[in-house]
Amino acid sequence: MTHAMQKGSNVPLDTAAVRAVLRWTPGPGVPDVDASALLLGPSGRVRSDEDFVFYNQPRHPSGLVRRLPKKRVSEGLTDTVEADLAGLDVSVDRVVIAASSDGGTFRSVSDLRILLYDAVAGADREPLALFDVTAETGEETAVICGELYRRGDGWKFRAVGQGYPTGLVGLATDFGISVDEDAAQDAAQDVQGASDGASGSPEGTPAGGSPAGGSHDPDLDATVVHTSVPPVPDRVPPMPDQAPAYGYPQQPVNAPAPAYGYPQPVAAAEQNPAPEFRMPPMGPQFVRS
């Protein structure tokens, strides 16, 4: 029997291993969705950065939690995380299952839901539970779909649905993942260059690259290629053709004189960010490789 869950509800799990499947409907303008998992201790934070399983680190060092390649099914696309609950160390109190969007917010993601299966029984069985994940504000770029947590000698699953407008970086750092700020500057430039040069890839575009901490099979059904993009070279803004009027911004060449008491139009060069502008640090481990 499948439990259709509401936000905040929970269900006991009578299985040694689970498969958490994120499923959504792809299409034009729909951002790609990536599943991830965080292994938390009793403090509610990761024990180390190795407790973060995501597209660049798809397998926990213990081998007990892993992310599988995306698959295309009749209902849409899926991204899956498997967890061997019975084998997890007793210091792991919770396993958070999250989703992050690439190329837009969750406002544009349709029919997102998490389905929980008994990984021991096989994929042909009905899901143990399902939860329809909806955006609370529409500005989320990451969301905690649910969490597996210990209760006595067993495990339970709770439907969460908590969103983050700060994306996968904000979600991960909230649970104690560290970010190398020195190396993050170059990573932020790559991310900025990718966002300026591409808004997404056609459906079915293969995703490749080597994740941090090891290699894995590519997500053949990913809608966004997980590769880094060289940073856009700095551009020197054009020199103004005339000196600005005192106290006002410069105006374009051949522009008519402004009406008395109104500021002059802003030159096109001043509407663009300065060449030294940089995005805030995001952390090298979040660059799609």
Side-chain angles (χ1 to χ4, degrees):
M1 177 181 177
T2 301
H3 295 270
M5 306 184 66
Q6 301 294 322
K7 184 175 181 177
S9 62
N10 61 77
V11 61
L13 300 175
D14 187 18
T15 179
V18 296
R19 182 179 297 115
V21 180
L22 295 180
R23 193 179 74 197
W24 69 98
T25 301
V30 177
D32 195 28
V33 176
D34 292 299
S36 57
L38 296 112
L39 286 67
L40 309 182
S43 65
R45 296 170 69 84
V46 297
R47 300 164 302 172
S48 72
D49 288 352
E50 293 180 335
D51 284 342
F52 187 27
V53 177
F54 68 121
Y55 50 76
N56 270 359
Q57 187 169 271
R59 180 183 294 270
H60 190 264
S62 67
L64 300 176
V65 179
R66 63 192 183 114
R67 177 180 177 265
L68 304 181
K70 287 185 172 70
K71 289 185 178 180
R72 187 176 298 275
V73 296
S74 58
E75 298 88 350
L77 283 178
T78 66
D79 203 4
T80 302
V81 172
E82 279 190 349
D84 183 351
L85 302 178
L88 286 175
D89 191 90
V90 294
S91 61
V92 177
D93 190 62
R94 282 189 290 159
V95 179
V96 170
I97 308 297
S100 58
S101 61
D102 185 28
T105 67
F106 276 100
R107 184 195 304 276
S108 303
V109 179
S110 302
D111 308 317
L112 178 65
R113 61 172 41 182
I114 180 170
L115 303 102
L116 204 67
Y117 291 88
D118 185 341
V120 179
D124 56 339
R125 299 292 185 90
E126 290 186 357
L128 302 173
L130 66 87
F131 171 50
D132 290 321
V133 184
T134 57
E136 294 178 315
T137 67
E139 301 305 316
E140 297 89 347
T141 48
V143 61
I144 298 176
C145 301
E147 61 179 11
L148 305 159
Y149 64 100
R150 292 185 187 271
R151 185 60 72 226
D153 295 332
W155 288 81
K156 285 188 173 184
F157 174 74
R158 178 184 292 115
V160 180
Q162 176 185 347
Y164 286 74
T166 50
L168 189 62
V169 175
L171 184 150
T173 54
D174 199 35
F175 287 103
I177 297 295
S178 60
V179 175
D180 186 347
E181 295 185 1
D182 293 335
Q185 295 292 340
D186 293 336
Q189 292 180 38
D190 289 348
V191 173
Q192 182 182 6
S195 63
D196 291 340
S199 59
S201 303
E203 292 183 28
T205 300
S210 299
S215 61
H216 70 292
D217 295 332
D219 289 345
L220 299 180
D221 286 303
T223 57
V224 172
V225 179
H226 293 186
T227 56
S228 59
V229 178
V232 178
D234 291 341
R235 292 169 294 181
V236 179
M239 294 296 294
D241 290 67
Q242 64 183 65
Y246 180 77
Y248 291 101
Q250 300 178 16
Q251 67 178 19
V253 179
N254 300 327
Y260 180 77
Y262 290 92
Q264 301 181 17
V266 179
E270 295 192 13
Q271 295 178 355
N272 296 322
E276 64 273 12
F277 175 78
R278 293 292 183 270
M279 294 290 288
M282 295 182 65
Q285 67 267 47
F286 300 101
V287 176
R288 295 177 179 277
S289 59

